[in-house]
Amino acid sequence: MTVTTTSRIIHPAGNLKGELIPPPDKSITHRAVIFASLASGPSRVVRPLIADDCERTAEAFRSLGVSMETDRRGDWIILGKGMNGLERPAESVYCGNSGTTMRLLTGVLSGQPFEVTLMGDASLSRRPMDRVVLPVRQMGAQVRAQDNKFAPLVIQGKRPLDAMEWKTPVASAQVKSCVLLAGLYADGVTVVEEPYQSRDHTERMMSAAGIQLDIQGTRVGIRGGQSLQPREWVVPSDLSSAAFFIVASLLLPGSEVLLRNVGVNPTRDGLLEVMQQMGVLIKRNDQRVIGGEPIADLLVTHSPLKSVKIEPEIMPRLIDEIPIIAVAATQAEGITEIRGAQELRVKESDRLAHCTTELRKMGAHIEERPDGLVIEGPTPLIGATVNSFEDHRMAMSLAVAGLIARGETVIQNADCVDISFPTFWDDLEKLRNRVV
Ligand code: S3P
């Protein structure tokens, strides 16, 4: 067994009990930084996600001349430079592991009158960027990419950009947001249309910052020349991070956990719908709206699960939750089928391949399909040495598998949880009771 300094050993848990405020939402923090940087004047981001991915977006805008400070409460105060105030950075911009940083910045930089190079880590440099390069090229930006598809991206913006209509073949909030951001710099109405509705934080937050959008189903139109207004952004807790504690609590007998302040935006809550189809009701207490986003406290208690069929239509609403749903499915009665999930192959790692190989090492009955997974349950899991492949959501999903397994599980490359959930191991320790 190889245990390195970046490995974590997971012991089986008795149950999880208590309350947790999961970390702030990653998608909303990225957007708050971008919109605040482009607004004229000071904005405050209340409870930003302080984790590697969002730090990359903050650092990118610092290098574009935006000043940011952290106040005593940990909020970020961002002094926006206005739509036309960004400056050419001295060096290339490093986006780390963050697809959201690279793809949304591509939209912003397409409208700037200077050239910038965007770099990524090994994982990000393998992910497809043609999905954002093609639309901004059509709008008149010049973009060079490795093999026309991969980072580094060298972007020479144009102002104004040419307004256009873009039909994206993938339902992707990152593509939609890139086009809408570029659309702010275009000479007319830019329209983006996607096959299924992806998360709509950009639309909600742009509207809250004074931008008029024309939303018709999965088509969104934006008129160029509008300005984002500075404001206070309050970031709810991230349902995609809460997901690990939701599934762990469902699977461990005797568990009862209250997850507070969790964003339950209907374009993100597919996990809760799937859990309902698996026979579980997760109670949404104290439902409210903060900063245009629906929030609730989620009460999760242990429950038996039955298998489910997950179809392509719902995929954008739970795209980041498939690895943890796969763990849940190993314990569900019957055959779970997940279809239309080919996008998982181009996330931080190939999550369909890695869910299959790693959960199999733990005894799961799981098969990989070109666009999904087939999982037969319930199967008792056995501790094993498994690899996250430096993918944060794989590391946390495997940790949950380790909690329900017999014996010890070693997760290699476990530090990557810092990408979205730096307090994950501490929070797990706080809520778990050991097997006695
Ligand atoms: C995100 C959108 C999703 C998601 C990612 C964050 C965003 O990606 O997987 O973790 O913040 O817009 P796609 O929109 O590319 O599917």
Side-chain angles (χ1 to χ4, degrees):
M1 183 189 300
T2 323
V3 182
T4 64
T5 48
T6 58
S7 297
R8 282 274 170 169
I9 300 177
I10 306 290
H11 298 281
N15 56 42
L16 298 188
K17 272 198 190 281
E19 281 189 29
L20 180 71
I21 303 178
D25 191 283
K26 182 157 83 67
S27 293
I28 294 177
T29 303
H30 281 298
R31 288 160 172 78
V33 172
I34 297 171
F35 299 162
S37 297
L38 294 177
S40 275
S43 288
R44 174 186 290 271
V45 186
V46 180
R47 227 183 134 242
L49 174 63
I50 299 175
D52 288 356
D53 260 27
C54 298
E55 299 274 11
R56 295 288 72 76
T57 295
E59 204 42 56
F61 279 92
R62 277 196 200 100
S63 73
L64 288 157
V66 177
S67 68
M68 296 185 200
E69 278 171 24
T70 304
D71 75 1
R72 275 182 294 130
R73 295 195 322 187
D75 296 347
W76 288 347
I77 314 295
I78 300 180
L79 195 56
K81 304 277 280 186
M83 297 302 295
N84 302 323
L86 297 182
E87 294 157 18
R88 184 184 180 166
E91 288 167 7
S92 56
V93 172
Y94 182 59
C95 303
N97 194 248
S98 175
T100 309
T101 306
M102 187 169 280
R103 294 194 177 117
L104 271 58
L105 263 179
T106 298
V108 174
L109 294 174
S110 295
Q112 308 306 317
F114 47 75
E115 187 183 280
V116 183
T117 300
L118 298 181
M119 319 269 292
D121 70 3
S123 150
L124 188 55
S125 304
R126 282 192 296 268
R127 297 178 64 186
M129 290 301 144
D130 47 341
R131 55 183 62 191
V132 287
V133 168
L134 294 174
V136 299
R137 270 191 191 151
Q138 180 147 329
M139 294 177 82
Q142 287 176 34
V143 187
R144 295 199 301 279
Q146 291 291 313
D147 297 331
N148 260 326
K149 193 168 175 183
F150 301 108
L153 305 181
V154 185
I155 303 171
Q156 170 64 61
K158 178 183 134 170
R159 193 175 285 171
L161 289 164
D162 309 323
M164 58 138 195
E165 246 190 79
W166 189 255
K167 271 198 180 169
T168 157
V170 277
S172 159
Q174 295 178 350
V175 174
K176 175 174 61 180
S177 304
C178 168
V179 175
L180 292 176
L181 281 161
L184 282 174
Y185 292 97
D187 58 1
V189 176
T190 296
V191 176
V192 57
E193 184 174 346
E194 52 186 353
Y196 305 116
Q197 161 95 69
S198 65
R199 65 190 65 189
D200 66 356
H201 302 304
T202 294
E203 296 92 305
R204 285 173 189 256
M205 293 175 72
M206 277 188 170
S207 302
I211 301 292
Q212 282 188 6
L213 297 167
D214 179 18
I215 304 176
Q216 312 278 347
T218 57
R219 271 170 78 84
V220 187
I222 190 165
R223 178 173 292 285
Q226 302 184 70
S227 300
L228 289 151
Q229 300 305 312
R231 53 166 292 147
E232 179 175 281
W233 298 107
V234 182
V235 184
S237 289
D238 198 323
L239 179 57
S240 298
S241 297
F244 304 105
F245 286 89
I246 292 174
V247 171
S249 308
L250 290 173
L251 295 183
L252 289 164
S255 296
E256 183 169 292
V257 169
L258 184 66
L259 298 160
R260 288 203 179 272
N261 280 351
V262 182
V264 287
N265 179 316
T267 61
R268 289 280 298 278
D269 69 352
L271 171 75
L272 303 180
E273 189 171 315
V274 162
M275 289 300 131
Q276 201 165 346
Q277 287 163 7
M278 293 179 93
V280 175
L281 185 66
I282 295 168
K283 273 206 203 125
R284 301 181 188 208
N285 294 340
D286 195 11
Q287 297 200 48
R288 57 225 187 256
V289 175
I290 298 178
E293 291 282 344
I295 317 284
D297 296 340
L298 302 178
L299 182 64
V300 194
T301 48
H302 164 68
S303 322
L305 298 175
K306 56 181 198 238
S307 61
V308 66
K309 295 213 176 344
I310 303 181
E311 303 290 344
E313 292 80 349
I314 198 176
M315 204 45 66
R317 290 176 50 213
L318 46 67
I319 187 77
D320 292 337
E321 283 66 80
I322 293 295
I324 192 62
I325 290 174
V327 173
T330 67
Q331 304 309 305
E333 186 75 49
I335 296 177
T336 291
E337 280 177 51
I338 301 172
R339 294 196 313 119
Q342 58 277 5
E343 269 293 301
L344 262 80
R345 297 204 181 275
V346 290
K347 290 293 177 188
E348 287 81 330
S349 75
D350 180 342
R351 290 179 175 159
L352 295 181
H354 295 151
C355 277
T356 308
T357 57
E358 303 317 285
L359 289 174
R360 252 190 208 160
K361 289 179 190 164
M362 300 182 74
H365 295 157
I366 175 166
E367 259 181 51
E368 185 182 347
R369 296 280 154 87
D371 71 335
L373 297 169
V374 179
I375 303 156
E376 193 179 340
T379 314
L381 298 185
I382 306 147
T385 297
V386 289
N387 196 339
S388 76
F389 295 92
E390 304 278 2
D391 179 334
H392 55 134
R393 300 201 199 281
M394 285 304 305
M396 293 184 273
S397 301
L398 292 167
V400 173
L403 294 178
I404 58 166
R406 186 157 47 77
E408 196 174 274
T409 298
V410 177
I411 300 173
Q412 295 172 318
N413 298 310
D415 285 2
C416 56
V417 302
D418 289 351
I419 295 290
S420 62
F421 200 158
T423 57
F424 178 74
W425 306 111
D426 292 342
D427 289 342
L428 190 56
E429 223 28 62
K430 271 181 227 150
L431 291 184
R432 66 179 280 168
N433 292 303
R434 294 189 179 273
V435 184
V436 279

